[in-house]
Amino acid sequence: MADVEVFPLAQVAVPHSRPAPADVVAGKPTLGTAPITTLGDTGVEVGLWEMTTGAVRDVEVDEVFVVLEGAATISVEGAAPIAIKAGDLVRLTAGTATVWEVTAPLRKLYVA
């Protein structure tokens, strides 16, 4: 590995697929992940994640991400929904059950 690496994020293609039917709450969303690199031997992954419009259930891992494009609402049972949009930095805690309602196709850069 070089001392400095550049990853042109706009050129990274993220392959999409349909989530499991049991995870779909609304619409016909597709989603995908494109791992880009890891941080040394820590096992920490950096990558891109995308989702088209619709709503899905998920159980989170420890993650920090920046929304690059799009908009969504993240709901957690017992808490007010959180609206996110391009430019937002978000922290998720492992084991949190969420529902993602994407209103504009979402692209995020994650560290997990």
Side-chain angles (χ1 to χ4, degrees):
M1 181 160 91
D3 291 334
V4 176
E5 291 183 89
V6 176
F7 304 95
L9 298 180
Q11 297 174 17
V12 175
V14 178
H16 280 232
S17 62
R18 296 241 182 245
D23 292 336
V24 176
V25 175
K28 295 181 180 181
T30 62
L31 48 92
T33 303
I36 296 171
T37 190
T38 56
L39 301 179
D41 60 358
T42 66
V44 174
E45 181 178 277
V46 179
L48 292 173
W49 182 88
E50 294 180 347
M51 183 175 154
T52 61
T53 57
V56 297
R57 291 179 189 83
D58 195 14
V59 177
E60 304 303 334
V61 299
D62 276 329
E63 175 183 346
V64 173
F65 66 86
V66 175
V67 180
L68 301 174
E69 298 174 10
T73 300
I74 303 171
S75 297
V76 176
E77 189 174 325
I82 305 293
I84 62 171
K85 63 186 179 324
D88 287 346
L89 175 69
V90 182
R91 168 79 164 89
L92 299 172
T93 302
T96 303
T98 57
V99 173
W100 287 71
E101 182 182 356
V102 173
T103 54
L106 194 79
R107 182 174 173 102
K108 70 179 186 178
L109 174 71
Y110 67 85
V111 179

